[in-house]
Amino acid sequence: MKNDKRKDQINRMTKNLAIWTLLWVVSLALATFGPKFIWRENTTWSIIAIIINLAIGIGMIWANIKHLSVLDELQKKIQMDAMGIALGVGIVGGLSYSVMDTANVIAGNAEIGFLVMLISISYLIALFVGKKHYA
């Protein structure tokens, strides 16, 4: 009975986090592509879209904190390990990428999108490995 209630709570918080994350991604796409394809470089609409994206991002962070609060100790450890690895990979990889751009080792400019992808992929791999390790 108690385990069912806990599982329901975890499922509810996971769905809540997924909804906030989806909203954030959609609002980011709107803020990114809206000036070019929807409102034709209108600065007022761009500022509104960025503020909405920022507000939804804060909601997503809050949803992530709430999600972590309902997990058991092992799930929290797996999540924290994955976040720590992603942070380290992001800092080390991002700074190396930036130095490569500064030293003209790479063609083109260092783009933040590549850093976000690096952090996201390293987080997902670390989460998968952590779950496999403790399963």
Side-chain angles (χ1 to χ4, degrees):
M1 182 76 173
K2 192 173 182 178
N3 279 342
D4 289 340
K5 186 177 177 181
R6 184 166 182 84
K7 283 183 180 179
D8 287 344
Q9 190 179 24
I10 291 172
N11 287 339
R12 193 167 24 94
M13 288 299 156
T14 302
K15 287 178 186 173
N16 187 41
L17 178 58
I19 290 168
W20 276 101
T21 303
L22 179 65
L23 288 173
W24 181 75
V25 169
V26 169
S27 71
L28 181 62
L30 184 66
T32 302
F33 299 112
K36 185 175 183 181
F37 297 112
I38 300 174
W39 53 78
R40 306 203 186 274
E41 307 295 335
N42 183 313
T43 305
T44 303
W45 283 109
S46 292
I47 291 171
I48 291 170
I50 292 167
I51 290 171
I52 289 171
N53 175 253
L54 183 63
I56 292 174
I58 291 169
M60 182 180 70
I61 293 168
W62 173 81
N64 198 15
I65 291 169
K66 297 295 277 185
H67 177 255
L68 287 173
S69 72
V70 298
L71 297 177
D72 65 29
E73 293 304 315
L74 180 57
Q75 291 170 325
K76 284 181 186 176
K77 177 176 178 24
I78 293 169
Q79 287 284 336
M80 294 300 185
D81 286 353
M83 289 178 188
I85 290 168
L87 176 65
V89 168
I91 290 173
V92 172
L95 290 174
S96 295
Y97 185 49
S98 176
V99 169
M100 285 191 294
D101 181 25
T102 304
N104 292 323
V105 174
I106 57 173
N109 295 322
E111 298 290 336
I112 190 76
F114 290 113
L115 181 61
V116 172
M117 285 191 315
L118 177 67
I119 292 170
S120 300
I121 291 169
S122 64
Y123 168 75
L124 289 174
I125 291 171
L127 190 63
F128 177 77
V129 169
K131 286 189 177 217
K132 281 293 242 187
H133 178 74
Y134 292 107

